[in-house]
Amino acid sequence: MKVIADICVVPIGVGVSLGSYIAVCEKILVKSGLKTHLHGYGTNVEGEWDQVMQAIKECHQALHDMGVPRISSSIRLGSRTDKDQTIEDKIRSVEEKL
Amino acid sequence: MKVIADICVVPIGVGVSLGSYIAVCEKILVKSGLKTHLHGYGTNVEGEWDQVMQAIKECHQALHDMGVPRISSSIRLGSRTDKDQTIEDKIRSVEEKL
Amino acid sequence: MKVIADICVVPIGVGVSLGSYIAVCEKILVKSGLKTHLHGYGTNVEGEWDQVMQAIKECHQALHDMGVPRISSSIRLGSRTDKDQTIEDKIRSVEEKL
Amino acid sequence: MKVIADICVVPIGVGVSLGSYIAVCEKILVKSGLKTHLHGYGTNVEGEWDQVMQAIKECHQALHDMGVPRISSSIRLGSRTDKDQTIEDKIRSVEEKL
């Protein structure tokens, strides 16, 4: 099963500057070989369900290993059986109607 | 790694009455042996990370098998290393301060 | 327009114990006269769109006034025109199919 | 109070092809004068709290006016008092650490 996800990881208990923690997650997502797109409030991730979920787990684990005591992530998960759709297809399906 | 999650599964392309689909997910979550709490806009789930994620995957798969062509889920994932906390603990930590 | 919302407010930059901040939000939601239901990863809120949105804004403002430098909230918003539905109706529509 | 939001509107009861509905929302957000960035699973929106919230309400209302019977939106809302930050600043704070 393929999934397009949107992931926003919020480290708690390490102050207000979170960019370095998000960069660690971003590197994990990219290194996992998944297609990713960083935006202003999260990251789009496209790939096989298990791989995407494994990458999200590695993000939580890596941040805890760096000393982040608490994490609250907000995730959207989209799967469909009617057609194969990429992140770019989704954006295009909106933009061509603007 | 333990996780407390909140899961809201939205089946798309099967009309506006979604209760029977959500009930299928609820049964999967309960049958998985995870601690669950159904509320008005999702379900709290508590357990080991892999088990929780496996149950969410089974929800998507079961709905697709029932003929749901598209699903968009919204999920919150909380993990922490500073203490062991249950769903009840989280509610109590707010209620005792009201 | 009526809305059923689910609100999870995450204060950032004030350590890992968030119960007292969530309690402040809970009091604002209850005092606003909206129907609310606290669960393990947020709060269901039911009411008129503008009132619900005003209450969410007051939550952010109150926490900033208490010294919280950064807040990231995750919110679900459901509106429908086909029927009038309450939080209890939504839970019942699932439970009667279990 | 300024807010950076991320908005994902899910129309329910109108089939699986949602691009034309999302395009209506996108036009509302752009016409509102807010800074926006469309991505593969939602739209970043930056502006004054009340204006952002008004635009989200108009999205729900416009879709209901088009005949969408039910909508479930997933929204992230970030506000901070420690510094003024734009969507571009948030992306840069991650990218410069990659």
Side-chain angles (χ1 to χ4, degrees):
Chain A
M1 185 164 48
K2 219 189 100 174
V3 68
I4 294 181
D6 190 61
I7 304 172
C8 173
V9 176
V10 180
I12 300 169
V14 288
V16 290
S17 295
L18 306 179
S20 57
Y21 299 102
I22 306 307
V24 167
C25 294
E26 199 59 21
K27 283 182 213 168
I28 289 170
L29 296 172
V30 170
K31 217 184 65 177
S32 68
L34 298 161
K35 202 191 306 183
T36 68
H37 168 70
L38 176 71
H39 59 79
Y41 216 137
T43 302
N44 298 164
V45 185
E46 177 187 333
E48 277 302 308
W49 184 286
D50 289 341
Q51 273 182 283
V52 170
M53 291 312 178
Q54 179 59 27
I56 296 173
K57 184 184 178 185
E58 284 173 25
C59 290
H60 274 242
Q61 280 178 325
L63 295 194
H64 285 314
D65 289 349
M66 285 170 72
V68 179
R70 189 173 182 180
I71 303 166
S72 187
S73 293
S74 148
I75 296 173
R76 298 177 189 131
L77 290 176
S79 63
R80 61 192 306 176
T81 56
D82 60 323
K83 64 171 167 178
D84 194 32
Q85 194 185 36
T86 64
I87 293 173
E88 292 77 29
D89 291 336
K90 287 188 75 181
I91 295 175
R92 204 175 307 120
S93 81
V94 176
E95 288 184 339
E96 69 191 16
K97 275 140 200 151
L98 290 179
Chain B
M1 185 166 47
K2 220 188 99 176
V3 68
I4 294 181
D6 190 60
I7 305 172
C8 174
V9 176
V10 180
I12 299 169
V14 287
V16 290
S17 295
L18 306 179
S20 58
Y21 299 102
I22 307 306
V24 167
C25 294
E26 199 58 21
K27 284 183 213 168
I28 289 169
L29 295 172
V30 170
K31 217 184 66 178
S32 68
L34 298 161
K35 202 192 302 184
T36 68
H37 168 70
L38 175 71
H39 59 79
Y41 216 135
T43 302
N44 298 162
V45 185
E46 177 186 334
E48 278 300 311
W49 185 285
D50 289 340
Q51 273 183 283
V52 170
M53 291 311 180
Q54 178 61 26
I56 296 173
K57 185 185 178 185
E58 284 173 25
C59 291
H60 274 241
Q61 281 178 324
L63 295 194
H64 285 313
D65 290 347
M66 287 171 71
V68 179
R70 189 173 181 181
I71 304 166
S72 186
S73 292
S74 147
I75 296 173
R76 298 177 188 130
L77 290 175
S79 63
R80 60 194 304 175
T81 55
D82 59 324
K83 63 172 168 177
D84 194 33
Q85 195 185 36
T86 65
I87 293 171
E88 294 77 28
D89 292 335
K90 285 188 77 180
I91 294 175
R92 204 174 308 120
S93 81
V94 176
E95 287 185 337
E96 69 191 15
K97 274 142 200 149
L98 290 178
Chain C
M1 184 166 48
K2 219 188 99 175
V3 69
I4 294 182
D6 189 62
I7 304 171
C8 173
V9 176
V10 180
I12 299 169
V14 287
V16 289
S17 294
L18 306 178
S20 58
Y21 299 101
I22 306 306
V24 167
C25 294
E26 198 57 22
K27 283 182 213 165
I28 289 169
L29 296 172
V30 170
K31 217 184 66 178
S32 69
L34 299 161
K35 200 191 307 183
T36 67
H37 167 70
L38 175 70
H39 59 79
Y41 216 135
T43 302
N44 297 164
V45 185
E46 178 186 332
E48 278 301 310
W49 184 286
D50 289 341
Q51 273 183 282
V52 170
M53 290 311 181
Q54 179 60 27
I56 296 174
K57 185 184 178 185
E58 283 173 26
C59 290
H60 273 242
Q61 281 177 323
L63 295 194
H64 285 313
D65 289 348
M66 287 170 72
V68 179
R70 187 173 183 181
I71 304 167
S72 186
S73 292
S74 147
I75 296 173
R76 299 176 188 131
L77 290 176
S79 64
R80 61 195 304 174
T81 56
D82 59 324
K83 63 172 169 179
D84 194 32
Q85 193 185 37
T86 65
I87 293 172
E88 293 76 28
D89 292 336
K90 285 189 75 181
I91 295 176
R92 205 176 305 120
S93 82
V94 177
E95 286 185 337
E96 69 192 15
K97 274 141 199 150
L98 289 180
Chain D
M1 183 166 48
K2 217 188 100 175
V3 69
I4 294 181
D6 189 63
I7 304 173
C8 173
V9 175
V10 181
I12 300 169
V14 288
V16 290
S17 294
L18 306 178
S20 58
Y21 300 101
I22 306 306
V24 168
C25 294
E26 199 58 22
K27 284 182 213 167
I28 289 170
L29 295 173
V30 170
K31 218 184 66 177
S32 68
L34 298 161
K35 201 191 308 184
T36 67
H37 167 69
L38 175 70
H39 59 79
Y41 216 136
T43 302
N44 298 162
V45 185
E46 178 186 332
E48 277 302 308
W49 184 286
D50 289 341
Q51 273 182 283
V52 171
M53 290 311 179
Q54 179 60 27
I56 296 173
K57 185 185 178 185
E58 284 173 25
C59 290
H60 274 242
Q61 280 178 324
L63 295 195
H64 285 314
D65 290 348
M66 286 170 72
V68 180
R70 188 173 183 180
I71 304 167
S72 186
S73 292
S74 147
I75 296 172
R76 298 177 188 131
L77 290 176
S79 64
R80 60 193 306 175
T81 56
D82 59 324
K83 62 171 168 180
D84 194 31
Q85 194 185 37
T86 65
I87 293 171
E88 293 77 27
D89 291 336
K90 286 189 77 182
I91 294 175
R92 204 174 308 120
S93 81
V94 176
E95 286 184 337
E96 70 192 14
K97 275 142 199 148
L98 290 179

